[in-house]
C-alpha cells in the first residue's frame, strides 16, 4: 500500500514548480527585448502577459510554499519534472495562441510541447510571417527544454534534493561531483557552441544569403538553438532548405552531432581523455549512424528518387543525420519525404527510433541502452553455445571497465521495449484515423523520439484525439517514462494511499 | 574566470568543435562512397 502524500510533500512540489516557472519568466526577457528592439508591440504585449502570468504563479508559489528543509517524498524530483514539463508548455503557449497563427489553444499547446521536448513538429500556420520576437520565443522554449528546464532552475536557485531533480530530467551522468558544477559545464559547452554556431551562420547570412546583419543574427540564433538542442523548429516553413547553402548545412550538421553527444563525451574530448573510441556508447552510436545511413542511401538509389549521386548524398546525409540526432531539420519537403519508401523509409525510421546518446538533448531509445541490450543478448547467446565451465566476461567499457549487471541489462531492455510500445501505440491511433501504415509509423516515431520530421500527418487540421496522443507521446518519450510513472504513482497514492 | 582561463576554455571548446567537424567529415566520406557504389549497382 502506498503512503498518501502529506501537506509537506505538496509544499515541496509547489515550491519547486514555482522556481521552474520563475525561470520561464526570466527566459521570456530575451524575446521581450527582441520585440522592443524591432518595435513589435503586439508580440511585446503577448510575451509580457506570459512573463506576468509565470512570475505571478512563481511568486504565489514562493509565498504559499517558502523553502523548507523537511524530508521529501520518494521520487520527488521525478514528480516535479513530470509536472514542470506539462506546466511550462501551458504558460509558454500564451504568446503563441495570441499570435493568431494557430487554430486554437490546443494547437499552440502542441507547438509549445513540441518546443519544450525538442521535438520540432509544428501545427503553426504561415510561420514565414510570424513576428520575429514570437519566433525567438518558440526557439527559446526549445533551448530551455534541451538544456533542461530544471537544470536551468538549479543554475539560478540552489535546491536541496538537486540530484534527484537533475536525474529525473533524463540526465544520469554527473560529470563533476556536484550537480552545480555539472550544470555550469553544460552551460559552458552550450556557450562555446553558441559562439561558433551563431557566428558561422550569421556570417553565411550576411555574405551568401544577402541578409542584413540583424536578419542574419536572427536566423543564426534561432537555427543554432534548434540545432544544438536537437529541436528542429525553423523560422521558415521550408526549414534548412530555405537557405540553399552547403555551408549552412555543414555548420548545422556539426551542431546537430554536438547536440546528440552526451555532455560526458564533450568533457572527455575537451580534456583529451584516452580510450573514447572504446566506449560502448560511442561505438554503438557510430555503428547505428553508419548502418542506417548506408541502408537509407542504398534505398534511395534503388527507388531512384535522386539520379545524381551528389544530390543523393547531400539530401540523404543531412536527412539521416537530422533523424538520428533527433533534430528534425529538413532539406526536402514533407511530400517528397513521403516518397522515400522501402529501405530508405526503414533506414530513416530506425534512425529516428534509436536516437542519440544518454545525457544529451536527443530523444529516442538512446545508444547506451541499445549497446547494453545488444551486449547482453550476445553474452546470453555465447553462454548458451559454450561449455558450462567456460567463464564469459560480462563487462563493457564506458570511461572505464564496468560489470554488466543483470539489473542494468533488464532496465535497458525494459525502457527499450516501452519505447517500442509507445511508437506502436501512436501508430495504431493514426491507423484508426485512416492514415497509411508507413505515414502513421513515421509520424508516431518522430513524435515519441522527439525528432520532428514529418510526412504530412501533423498539421493544424489533424484529428484532435491524435493531436492529444502525440502531445502525450512527446511528453512521455522526452521524460523517458520513469518521471511519468512516478507522477501516476503519486496521483494514485493521493487517492488510494493511506 | 581570469584571461588565461577564458583562453584555455576557448581552446578546449575549439578542440571539441574540431572533433565534431571531423566526425561529420568522416561520415560524409562514408556516405559518398556508399552513394557512388549504390547508384552504380542499382
Amino acid at each position: 500500500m502506498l503512503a498518501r502524500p502529506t501537506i509537506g510533500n505538496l509544499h515541496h512540489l509547489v515550491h519547486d514548480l514555482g522556481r521552474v516557472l520563475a525561470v520561464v519568466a526570466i527566459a521570456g526577457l530575451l524575446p521581450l527585448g527582441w520585440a522592443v528592439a524591432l518595435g513589435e508591440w503586439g508580440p511585446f504585449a503577448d510575451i509580457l502577459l506570459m512573463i506576468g502570468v509565470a512570475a505571478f504563479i512563481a511568486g504565489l508559489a514562493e509565498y504559499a510554499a517558502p523553502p523548507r528543509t523537511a524530508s521529501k517524498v520518494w521520487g520527488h524530483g521525478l514528480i516535479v519534472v513530470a509536472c514542470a514539463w506539462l506546466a511550462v508548455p501551458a504558460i509558454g503557449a500564451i504568446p503563441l495562441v495570441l499570435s493568431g497563427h494557430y487554430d486554437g489553444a490546443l494547437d499552440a499547446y502542441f507547438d509549445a510541447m513540441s518546443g519544450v521536448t525538442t521535438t520540432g513538429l509544428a501545427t503553426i500556420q504561415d510561420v514565414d510571417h510570424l513576428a520575429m520576437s514570437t519566433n525567438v520565443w518558440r526557439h527559446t522554449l526549445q533551448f530551455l527544454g534541451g538544456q533542461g528546464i530544471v537544470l536551468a532552475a538549479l543554475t539560478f536557485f540552489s535546491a536541496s534534493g538537486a540530484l534527484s531533480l537533475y536525474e529525473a530530467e533524463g540526465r544520469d551522468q554527473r560529470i563533476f561531483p556536484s550537480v552545480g558544477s555539472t550544470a555550469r559545464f553544460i552551460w559552458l559547452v552550450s556557450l562555446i557552441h553558441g559562439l561558433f554556431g551563431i557566428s558561422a551562420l550569421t556570417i553565411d547570412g550576411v555574405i551568401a544569403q544577402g541578409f542584413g546583419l540583424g536578419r542574419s543574427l536572427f536566423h543564426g540564433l534561432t537555427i543554432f538553438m534548434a540545432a544544438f538542442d536537437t529541436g528542429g523548429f525553423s523560422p521558415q516553413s521550408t526549414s534548412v532548405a530555405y537557405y540553399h547553402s552547403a555551408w549552412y548545412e555543414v555548420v548545422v550538421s556539426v551542431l546537430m552531432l554536438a547536440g546528440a553527444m552526451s555532455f560526458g563525451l564533450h568533457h572527455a574530448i575537451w580534456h583529451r581523455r584516452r580510450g573514447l573510441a572504446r566506449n560502448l556508447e560511442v561505438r554503438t552510436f557510430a555503428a547505428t549512424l553508419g548502418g542506417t545511413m548506408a541502408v537509407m542511401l542504398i534505398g534511395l538509389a534503388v527507388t531512384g528518387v535522386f539520379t545524381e549521386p551528389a544530390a543523393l548524398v547531400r539530401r540523404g546525409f543531412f536527412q539521416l543525420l537530422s533523424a538520428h540526432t533527433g533534430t528534425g531539420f529538413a532539406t526536402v519537403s514533407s511530400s517528397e519525404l513521403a516518397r522515400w519508401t522501402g529501405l530508405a523509409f526503414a533506414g530513416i525510421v530506425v534512425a529516428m527510433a534509436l536516437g542519440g546518446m544518454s545525457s544529451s538533448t536527443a530523444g529516442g531509445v538512446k545508444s547506451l541502452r541499445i549497446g547494453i541490450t545488444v551486449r547482453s543478448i550476445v553474452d546470453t547467446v555465447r553462454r548458451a553455445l559454450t561449455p558450462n565451465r567456460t567463464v564469459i566476461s560480462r563487462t563493457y567499457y564506458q570511461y572505464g571497465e564496468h560489470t554488466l549487471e543483470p539489473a542494468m541489462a533488464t532496465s535497458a531492455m525494459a525502457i527499450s521495449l516501452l519505447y517500442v510500445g509507445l511508437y506502436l501505440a501512436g501508430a495504431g491511433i493514426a491507423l484508426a484515423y485512416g492514415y497509411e501504415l508507413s505515414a502513421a509509423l513515421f509520424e508516431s516515431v518522430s513524435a515519441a523520439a522527439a525528432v520532428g520530421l514529418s510526412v504530412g500527418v501533423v498539421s493544424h487540421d489533424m484529428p484532435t484525439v491524435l493531436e492529444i496522443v502525440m502531445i502525450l507521446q512527446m511528453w512521455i518519450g522526452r521524460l523517458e517514462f520513469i518521471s511519468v510513472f512516478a507522477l501516476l504513482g503519486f496521483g494514485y497514492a493521493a487517492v488510494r494511499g493511506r | 574566470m581570469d584571461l588565461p582561463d577564458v583562453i584555455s576554455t576557448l581552446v578546449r571548446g575549439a578542440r571539441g568543435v574540431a572533433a565534431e567537424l571531423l566526425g561529420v567529415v568522416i561520415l560524409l566520406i562514408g556516405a559518398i562512397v556508399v552513394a557512388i557504389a549504390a547508384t552504380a549497382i542499382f
Side-chain angles (χ1 to χ4, degrees):
Chain A
M1 179 60 72
L2 290 168
R4 186 180 292 233
T6 62
I7 294 295
N9 299 145
L10 291 173
H11 180 103
H12 284 304
L13 183 63
V14 169
H15 174 77
D16 286 346
L17 278 175
R19 292 283 169 100
V20 169
L21 290 182
V23 167
V24 174
I26 293 167
L29 296 176
L30 174 64
L32 193 75
W34 211 283
V36 170
L38 296 179
E40 294 178 339
W41 300 114
F44 172 84
D46 301 342
I47 296 163
L48 192 63
L49 177 65
M50 182 273 298
I51 291 174
V53 170
F56 176 73
I57 297 174
L60 208 60
E62 191 72 19
Y63 174 76
R68 270 191 193 176
T69 53
S71 64
K72 294 176 177 176
V73 66
W74 179 88
H76 167 80
L78 299 169
I79 297 160
V80 169
V81 167
C83 292
W85 288 67
L86 287 174
V88 170
I91 303 292
I94 292 173
L96 306 185
V97 76
L98 294 174
S99 71
H101 284 256
Y102 294 85
D103 261 354
L106 185 64
D107 276 9
Y109 187 75
F110 182 99
D111 251 32
M113 179 62 86
S114 175
V116 167
T117 56
T118 70
T119 305
L121 288 168
T123 51
I124 191 169
Q125 298 172 59
D126 195 19
V127 68
D128 303 282
H129 296 102
L130 183 68
M132 278 191 184
S133 50
T134 310
N135 232 327
V136 168
W137 175 238
R138 286 176 83 224
H139 285 79
T140 306
L141 274 176
Q142 221 166 38
F143 192 67
L144 260 186
Q147 296 300 101
I149 303 164
V150 170
L151 185 76
L154 290 174
T155 309
F156 284 106
F157 312 105
S158 64
S160 60
L163 179 59
S164 71
L165 284 164
Y166 171 78
E167 290 180 335
E169 249 181 0
R171 298 176 191 277
D172 49 5
Q173 260 182 16
R174 267 188 301 159
I175 303 158
F176 294 100
S178 80
V179 174
S181 49
T182 301
R184 275 193 292 281
F185 177 74
I186 289 175
W187 284 109
L188 194 60
V189 171
S190 308
L191 181 70
I192 296 289
H193 281 85
L195 282 174
F196 155 74
I198 296 170
S199 308
L201 296 173
T202 303
I203 289 167
D204 184 87
V206 171
I207 296 173
Q209 310 289 331
F211 298 160
L213 182 62
R215 194 172 169 208
S216 299
L217 188 62
F218 164 73
H219 283 268
L221 177 71
T222 51
I223 293 292
F224 159 73
M225 283 177 165
F228 183 69
D229 284 278
T230 63
F233 274 164
S234 167
Q236 304 295 148
S237 54
T238 46
S239 192
V240 173
Y242 174 77
Y243 305 101
H244 294 288
S245 163
W247 170 249
Y248 229 86
E249 288 167 31
V250 168
V251 174
V252 169
S253 295
V254 171
L255 292 172
M256 291 193 295
L257 185 65
M261 285 163 50
S262 72
F263 283 98
L265 182 59
H266 281 291
H267 183 264
I269 293 172
W270 280 33
H271 292 85
R272 291 176 182 259
R273 276 184 74 170
R274 295 185 179 276
L276 296 183
R278 284 180 65 200
N279 272 3
L280 178 65
E281 188 173 39
V282 173
R283 285 184 172 188
T284 307
F285 185 71
T288 56
L289 190 55
T292 51
M293 179 79 74
V295 167
M296 191 209 57
L297 289 172
I298 292 168
L300 284 177
V302 171
T303 52
V305 176
F306 300 103
T307 50
E308 291 294 317
L312 192 155
V313 168
R314 184 166 169 185
R315 300 283 179 262
F317 173 85
F318 188 88
Q319 225 48 76
L320 197 283
L321 189 61
S322 171
H324 207 310
T325 56
T327 310
F329 277 141
T331 50
V332 295
S333 65
S334 294
S335 53
E336 196 176 337
L337 201 56
R339 292 202 299 274
W340 292 20
T341 53
L343 277 181
F345 171 82
I348 207 160
V349 169
V350 171
M352 289 197 296
L354 297 180
M357 296 187 190
S358 58
S359 298
S360 73
T361 64
V365 179
K366 303 279 175 68
S367 297
L368 191 55
R369 289 198 188 102
I370 304 287
I372 287 174
T373 301
V374 170
R375 178 61 60 90
S376 179
I377 292 169
V378 168
D379 284 352
T380 305
V381 171
R382 282 173 65 197
R383 182 168 296 166
L385 295 178
T386 50
N388 286 342
R389 284 187 202 168
T390 308
V391 176
I392 295 174
S393 164
R394 291 176 61 87
T395 59
Y396 67 96
Y397 189 91
Q398 179 74 8
Y399 306 110
E401 288 287 343
H402 298 275
T403 304
L404 182 53
E405 303 288 353
M408 187 189 296
T410 307
S411 166
M413 284 185 197
I415 299 286
S416 305
L417 273 177
L418 284 169
Y419 268 106
V420 172
L422 190 63
Y423 298 151
L424 293 178
I429 303 284
L431 275 175
Y433 275 101
Y435 290 100
E436 286 182 11
L437 176 62
S438 57
L441 190 61
F442 190 101
E443 220 81 354
S444 173
V445 173
S446 183
V451 179
L453 288 172
S454 175
V455 289
V457 174
V458 170
S459 70
H460 65 93
D461 54 1
M462 69 191 291
T464 303
V465 172
L466 185 59
E467 192 170 4
I468 293 169
V469 167
M470 285 193 155
I471 288 172
L472 290 173
Q473 280 186 293
M474 292 189 278
W475 179 59
I476 296 169
R478 180 64 176 83
L479 295 181
E480 303 186 2
F481 299 96
I482 305 302
S483 295
V484 176
F485 291 157
L487 180 61
L488 292 176
F490 186 78
Y492 180 80
V495 177
R496 302 292 299 271
R498 286 187 179 174
Chain B
M1 260 188 163
D2 50 16
L3 190 60
D5 282 342
V6 172
I7 291 170
S8 124
T9 302
L10 284 173
V11 169
R12 283 178 180 158
R15 187 186 301 142
V17 174
E20 290 144 17
L21 182 60
L22 181 65
V24 167
V25 169
I26 291 170
L27 191 64
L28 188 56
I29 291 169
I32 290 168
V33 171
V34 172
I36 290 171
T39 44
I41 295 168
F42 302 104

